[in-house]
Amino acid sequence: MFRKLAFLVLLFLPLLGKSQDSAIYSFGADLNYHPQDFFFRVRGQLMKKNLSHEVFIGFGITKTIFQKQGNPNIGYDLSYRFKLNDWFSISPIIRLSYSLLNTKVPEKHRLIHTTESFAAFRMMVGNRNRFAVTGGIGPAIEWKYDAYLGRKNRFFMWNYFAEISYYYEF
């Protein structure tokens, strides 16, 4: 429980408080393709100089809406923006994310947890209204409690993603 709470505190830490130097705040939304589902997320971004901190929260479209299973997703992006001209930039990204799948079966231990980290790359166009295309690959650990064996089962795998995002700077 403490690890989950610490993760949430660290996740929203960049958005707390205002700094004296010139920080840029953005709000956005994205549609993300992932091997497990399509995700819709909203995100907040804090950019100081060229370093960007982003937090996002969303849900899996297919599993949540069509299959009636809860599939929330939260995460954090750290990126460094290389501005090539006034309207085009590229960014290498480190992404950490956590998702939870409620399978509803078995009744007692029905949750599948997935923790992921990605090395990614983003291309962004626009000034105040920005569009971005992002893709990445990285390791993931999925775990579920096995009632038959009486312990957690962990699985290591490689995942990838591709997403289209929209940002509005205010």
Side-chain angles (χ1 to χ4, degrees):
M1 179 66 188
F2 177 73
R3 286 188 286 171
K4 291 178 187 175
L5 184 61
F7 179 74
L8 285 174
V9 169
L10 289 174
L11 185 67
F12 291 103
L13 192 62
L15 296 180
L16 298 175
K18 294 200 177 220
S19 64
Q20 294 178 355
D21 59 352
S22 61
I24 299 171
Y25 297 91
S26 299
F27 181 73
D30 67 57
L31 184 62
N32 180 299
Y33 169 74
H34 191 278
Q36 296 172 350
D37 206 347
F38 285 95
F39 288 95
F40 174 78
R41 298 188 275 220
V42 292
R43 56 179 56 236
Q45 180 185 50
L46 167 67
M47 184 175 295
K48 291 183 180 180
K49 298 185 183 177
N50 289 332
L51 192 63
S52 172
H53 302 275
E54 295 182 44
V55 292
F56 56 84
I57 187 166
F59 62 91
I61 296 171
T62 305
K63 290 187 175 128
T64 302
I65 296 174
F66 300 113
Q67 297 176 0
K68 306 283 190 244
Q69 299 174 336
N71 192 13
N73 178 261
I74 61 172
Y76 171 76
D77 286 353
L78 177 66
S79 64
Y80 188 85
R81 188 166 98 172
F82 295 100
K83 201 168 188 179
L84 301 178
N85 60 28
D86 288 340
W87 57 272
F88 184 73
S89 65
I90 57 174
S91 304
I93 300 170
I94 296 173
R95 174 176 288 183
L96 303 172
S97 74
Y98 172 79
S99 61
L100 183 69
L101 178 61
N102 184 354
T103 60
K104 298 182 181 179
V105 176
E107 221 171 279
K108 189 174 180 182
H109 302 288
R110 59 184 185 255
L111 301 175
I112 297 174
H113 308 266
T114 306
T115 305
E116 301 169 309
S117 62
F118 294 101
F121 187 76
R122 175 179 293 148
M123 291 186 300
M124 189 176 289
V125 295
N127 288 326
R128 191 171 186 125
N129 292 304
R130 299 187 312 247
F131 291 94
V133 176
T134 310
I137 188 168
I141 297 175
E142 184 176 284
W143 72 93
K144 179 176 175 45
Y145 186 81
D146 188 342
Y148 180 73
L149 297 174
R151 62 182 168 96
K152 287 182 184 178
N153 280 339
R154 291 186 173 93
F155 303 99
F156 177 83
M157 60 188 149
W158 285 92
N159 273 344
Y160 59 92
F161 74 93
E163 75 184 15
I164 299 172
S165 306
Y166 168 78
Y167 294 89
Y168 177 75
E169 184 180 303
F170 55 94

